[in-house]
Amino acid sequence: MSSSGARHTTYKYNRKRHTSRLDGVSFAIPDPPRKLDLPLKFKFIFCVRGVISVLLSNVYLRYVLDLWFERVAKPRLRGEAYLVRYIDDFVLCFQYRADALRVQKALCQRLRKFGLTLESTKTKLVEFGRFAQRHASKRGRNRPQTIYFLGFTLYCTRNRKGNFRVGLRTEESRSRRSLMRLQDPIRRMRHLSIREQADILNQMLRGHYAYYGIAGNIRALQRVHRAVECYWRIMLSSRSWKGEVLWKPFQQIKKRFPLVRPKLYLPYSELQAIAVL
């Protein structure tokens, strides 16, 4: 980002109607047949809970948001600006606060044309970047504000050399939700063999590590691992009236049927290479 810092605005649009139409979207077809001299035009009708709604919403916002931001909004701004979007969650990054406010106002008008609105509870203007700590102390805050995006909390921190770095950790609400989702299958499978239970738990843990296993988030993964171990021991203890499974026998069970340890699927080296690109 520029040396003057950056301001990030997080948005999430709210579907105001169950169906929305996007007329006049043109798709250029490479090497079209002779009869198709002009680009085809399609009409989209969305089913909010349909299987294909994710794909269609991506196409929809490609026209409504992405192209509008790059071709209309961005050239009119004073400083640098970037858009990061995944389906209907997106973050807009601006060099200057005035640009962020202008785009926020224009974006509301843009979405209103298509029957969409911004989700007020998930839309906020956040000062973020290399100089956010300095500005936060001037405004009476101990630390800069954070950004919540795709299940992660983004915060300002520094690496070992003292340079600015964007830190990522699992959002607390997502972490609690993940543990709740893990507890239910552990309860239901407690009467299976221990080998089968370990296989199922490892499958669920691998999926969790694959998504949240990003550099700087190892402590959150370790908390989930410890919580799964504790709840697994409780469920093993509830299989019989003979008594609970104490920690010493449970350690022997783990030694024979180990749970997958936390793993970073995106370590610092790879994350730094992506940031440079």
Side-chain angles (χ1 to χ4, degrees):
M1 300 302 272
S2 173
S3 59
S4 63
R7 289 175 173 82
H8 293 217
T9 307
T10 59
Y11 299 107
K12 182 181 178 68
Y13 80 85
N14 181 27
R15 296 182 178 88
K16 194 173 181 180
R17 305 170 183 171
H18 288 286
T19 59
S20 299
R21 291 175 181 269
L22 178 61
D23 300 335
V25 181
S26 300
F27 294 87
I29 302 178
D31 300 326
R34 294 180 180 179
K35 295 182 180 180
L36 300 177
D37 295 331
L38 298 176
L40 293 180
K41 294 185 176 182
F42 298 90
K43 289 185 177 180
F44 295 100
I45 301 178
F46 291 91
C47 177
V48 174
R49 298 184 181 273
V51 177
I52 202 173
S53 62
V54 175
L55 174 62
L56 293 180
S57 63
N58 243 335
V59 177
Y60 194 87
L61 286 180
R62 170 66 179 169
Y63 170 78
V64 174
L65 178 63
D66 298 355
L67 296 180
W68 171 82
F69 180 76
E70 290 294 332
R71 299 178 183 180
V72 179
K74 194 172 180 179
R76 293 173 169 81
L77 301 179
R78 176 188 171 195
E80 299 180 34
Y82 302 93
L83 167 65
V84 181
R85 181 178 66 84
Y86 180 77
I87 307 180
D88 61 342
D89 293 307
F90 57 94
V91 177
L92 293 174
C93 312
F94 301 93
Q95 184 178 357
Y96 299 109
R97 178 183 178 86
D99 289 342
L101 295 175
R102 285 183 59 194
V103 172
Q104 184 176 11
K105 182 178 179 180
L107 181 61
C108 293
Q109 298 175 355
R110 170 71 175 176
L111 295 178
R112 199 175 298 120
K113 294 180 180 179
F114 301 93
L116 304 174
T117 58
L118 292 176
E119 181 60 52
S120 58
T121 59
K122 298 182 179 180
T123 302
K124 63 178 181 178
L125 183 65
V126 177
E127 187 172 9
F128 198 90
R130 285 180 288 179
F131 303 104
Q133 180 65 53
R134 184 193 309 170
H135 297 163
S137 59
K138 293 180 180 179
R139 292 175 173 83
R141 294 194 300 265
N142 295 328
R143 61 186 64 182
Q145 294 175 281
T146 56
I147 300 174
Y148 304 103
F149 188 55
L150 300 181
F152 289 94
T153 299
L154 283 68
Y155 60 96
C156 299
T157 184
R158 296 187 181 276
N159 57 18
R160 295 179 179 178
K161 297 181 179 179
N163 299 324
F164 170 77
R165 181 176 65 84
V166 178
L168 295 100
R169 62 172 179 263
T170 307
E171 188 180 346
E172 292 184 3
S173 61
R174 289 293 186 95
S175 183
R176 290 193 298 268
R177 197 184 311 169
S178 298
L179 291 176
M180 293 297 294
R181 282 202 300 263
L182 288 171
Q183 287 178 3
D184 184 59
I186 295 176
R187 274 196 304 268
R188 287 187 282 104
M189 70 180 184
R190 59 183 171 177
H191 295 296
L192 299 177
S193 66
I194 297 180
R195 180 184 297 276
E196 291 176 321
Q197 293 186 42
D199 292 340
I200 296 174
L201 285 175
N202 285 331
Q203 184 179 6
M204 293 188 295
L205 287 174
R206 287 191 190 96
H208 184 83
Y209 299 158
Y211 185 83
Y212 292 103
I214 191 170
N217 198 34
I218 188 66
R219 291 184 179 178
L221 301 184
Q222 291 171 345
R223 285 196 296 269
V224 171
H225 183 269
R226 288 194 297 267
V228 170
E229 282 187 344
C230 293
Y231 198 73
W232 188 27
R233 185 185 70 86
I234 294 174
M235 288 299 101
L236 290 178
S237 300
S238 66
R239 300 205 309 174
S240 173
W241 291 98
K242 295 181 180 180
E244 65 174 346
V245 178
L246 301 178
W247 278 106
K248 189 173 182 179
F250 183 66
Q251 295 297 332
Q252 297 176 356
I253 293 175
K254 288 200 307 177
K255 187 175 181 180
R256 187 175 179 183
F257 306 101
L259 296 182
V260 179
R261 302 293 301 177
K263 177 184 177 182
L264 294 180
Y265 284 78
L266 189 61
Y268 281 105
S269 57
E270 298 183 15
L271 185 63
Q272 186 177 10
I274 295 175
V276 172
L277 292 177

